[in-house]
Amino acid sequence: MDAFHYEGGHLFCEKTAIADLARTYGTPLYVYSQSSILETLRALQTAFAEVDPLICYSVKANSNLGLLKLMAEHGSGFDVVSGGELERVVRAGGLASRSVFAGVGKTDLEIADGIRAGVLMFNVESEEELQAIGRVAAGLGRVAPIALRVNPDVDPRTHRYISTGKKESKFGMDVERALRAATEAASIPSIRMIGVHMHIGSQITSTEPYAGAVAKGVELIAQLRKLGHPIEWYNMGGGYGISYRGNEARPVEEFAQVIVPGIKAAGCRLAIEPGRVIAGNAGILVSRVIYTKQSGEKRFLIQDAAMNDLIRPALYESYHRIWPVESNVPLGQEAGLQSWDVVGPVCESGDFLAKDRELPRISPGELLAVFSAGAYGMVMASNYNTRPRAAEVLVDGANARLVRRRETVDDLLRPELDVFV
Ligand SMILES: Cc1ncc(COP(=O)(O)O)c(C=O)c1O
């Protein structure tokens, strides 16, 4: 059963009524399903089992400490892109030795923190970064394990903002440059090159881009070994898409089918960095309607979740299913609906969660659920318009636990008040 489902016209997360959570914790509220997270984690472990995968959950998708702790307890490693994300992993009980450190702009301080924490490897994105890691590691008297991030120049056929594997993107190095970097690395004693990394984009809903990418890496790994690098890991990044509208996502087994043969051919262990596929459909954003309003032919549903809570619609024009939390009209029914723009209170015309959306009749005071909001939702939330960020709740069956309290205006003002004269 889908973790989020209607029973008798009420929306539930597992065995917990969403309306009860909204009453207890207020709105806007992010609600996550523990069983959904763990099911996807297990599905990935099973799909890639043949190549002994290390699943490095991509912390950027949802970095809540409660979720990281849950995943660490179930064997997950982590993919981090900043010193802050590494700190989150460690504080949540995750192991740095099962974590990879990516990102195009690692500072010396972040590199040193990563080395001291004992990360499994740094995903190196440029020749200058390679030099920096070598220098920092030598200064600490350590040898830093690294993987070269290679840009395979494949088109992942996704939104241009989340496409990362084409040669015009800022990420990784093309194959020729990677080979030059590998030659350079061979003479840096404080670096040990143990892997190759690729991440071609996010919300990918076909397997072909992976098939093309994985083959390029197999060839490169052979060349790197000839240069003397002991390549043990092939990290294929993340990117598996989820269903935002209906069932556009491919099952993870299909991605495994095109990736696993390449990993075997390369004689490597597989690391993957899934984010969205684990957290995306495991979370919803719950909001409460404040007002309804008509302007010309347009009807606006003004509710208390705004672009500062969920920026994806404004940023990528992305689609999220939205439906009342309490409704006798089944989700997805098409007859007898009204068209609404679902907007928030922020002073921007870009502040919308949906445009021209067909919804059942709904009135001020009622609750709305914005589905598939578990990934790239709360992590991108801001305090724009001095709006405190939402609370987050993790549901396990009939139990719900607050994993982040709602911010207060005082929390927001504190760094300024501390130096206010
Ligand atoms: C290097 C890297 N790895 C993993 C991910 C996670 O991607 P996704 O959430 O699509 O699985 C990203 C996100 O863009 C990324 O940049």
Side-chain angles (χ1 to χ4, degrees), residues 290-417:
I290 307 172
Y291 302 116
T292 61
K293 155 172 172 172
Q294 187 140 5
S295 182
E297 291 302 296
K298 273 259 177 229
R299 276 199 214 91
F300 293 97
L301 207 52
I302 302 164
Q303 37 81 68
D304 61 7
M307 65 189 293
N308 76 295
D309 299 298
L310 180 66
I311 202 173
R312 297 188 71 258
L315 190 61
Y316 312 123
E317 294 186 339
S318 58
Y319 181 99
H320 286 263
R321 280 184 305 150
I322 296 180
W323 208 250
V325 166
E326 312 272 3
S327 178
N328 290 320
V329 184
L331 173 62
Q333 176 172 305
E334 285 170 10
L337 305 179
Q338 289 180 325
S339 178
W340 296 92
D341 276 12
V342 181
V343 302
V346 160
C347 298
E348 297 270 347
S349 297
D351 178 26
F352 62 88
L353 298 182
K355 295 221 162 169
D356 301 320
R357 187 62 62 86
E358 299 287 316
L359 291 172
R361 178 172 293 281
I362 185 154
S363 311
E366 291 184 50
L367 297 166
L368 280 181
V370 183
F371 291 88
S372 310
Y376 306 105
M378 184 62 180
V379 281
M380 290 195 190
S382 76
N383 296 120
Y384 188 39
N385 281 197
T386 308
R387 286 171 51 85
R389 280 176 292 179
E392 294 175 286
V393 165
L394 181 60
V395 170
D396 176 16
N399 299 315
R401 191 162 57 85
L402 192 63
V403 285
R404 182 187 166 109
R405 69 158 169 81
R406 185 173 302 287
E407 268 174 348
T408 63
V409 171
D410 210 44
D411 290 332
L412 270 55
L413 299 188
R414 184 52 45 210
E416 293 157 68
L417 287 175

Side-chain angles (χ1 to χ4, degrees), residues 58 60-61 79 102 149 197 199 201-203 237-240 273-277 376:
S58 195
K60 66 175 79 66
D79 155 45
R149 178 165 181 177
H197 173 237
H199 171 77
S202 194
Q203 186 52 18
Y240 317 126
E273 303 170 343
R276 189 187 309 267
V277 74
Y376 306 105

Side-chain angles (χ1 to χ4, degrees), residues 1 10 67 71 114 126 144 178 191 204 218 263 273 321 336 369 388 402:
M1 187 195 282
H10 308 284
L67 271 62
M71 284 185 246
S126 67
I191 277 180
I204 299 173
V218 174
I263 307 302
E273 303 170 343
R321 280 184 305 150
L402 192 63

Side-chain angles (χ1 to χ4, degrees), residues 216-249:
K216 291 194 183 179
V218 174
E219 276 174 43
L220 177 67
I221 286 170
Q223 288 172 290
L224 296 178
R225 286 187 178 137
K226 277 194 197 131
L227 289 170
H229 297 295
I231 307 295
E232 301 159 31
W233 290 94
Y234 194 166
N235 180 346
M236 278 303 293
Y240 317 126
I242 63 168
S243 294
Y244 284 101
R245 290 171 184 269
N247 51 8
E248 64 270 31

Side-chain angles (χ1 to χ4, degrees), residues 160-177:
R160 64 189 190 288
Y161 286 5
I162 50 176
S163 162
T164 56
K166 292 189 77 186
K167 66 172 180 292
E168 57 270 28
S169 99
K170 71 175 175 180
F171 300 99
M173 291 173 259
D174 60 42
V175 172
E176 293 72 41
R177 203 166 267 276

Side-chain angles (χ1 to χ4, degrees), residues 56-122:
C56 296
Y57 166 70
S58 195
V59 173
K60 66 175 79 66
N62 187 321
S63 60
N64 184 285
L65 291 174
L67 271 62
L68 300 184
K69 177 168 184 275
L70 176 71
M71 284 185 246
E73 284 168 352
H74 288 80
S76 187
F78 297 94
D79 155 45
V80 302
V81 291
S82 69
E85 285 191 351
L86 180 58
E87 186 68 23
R88 279 184 177 274
V89 166
V90 171
R91 295 228 189 168
L95 294 177
S97 59
R98 290 169 70 78
S99 300
V100 295
F101 198 146
V104 292
K106 302 175 194 78
T107 63
D108 281 10
L109 189 62
E110 288 177 314
I111 294 168
D113 284 347
I115 294 173
R116 283 199 205 93
V119 293
L120 176 62
M121 54 195 156
F122 290 95

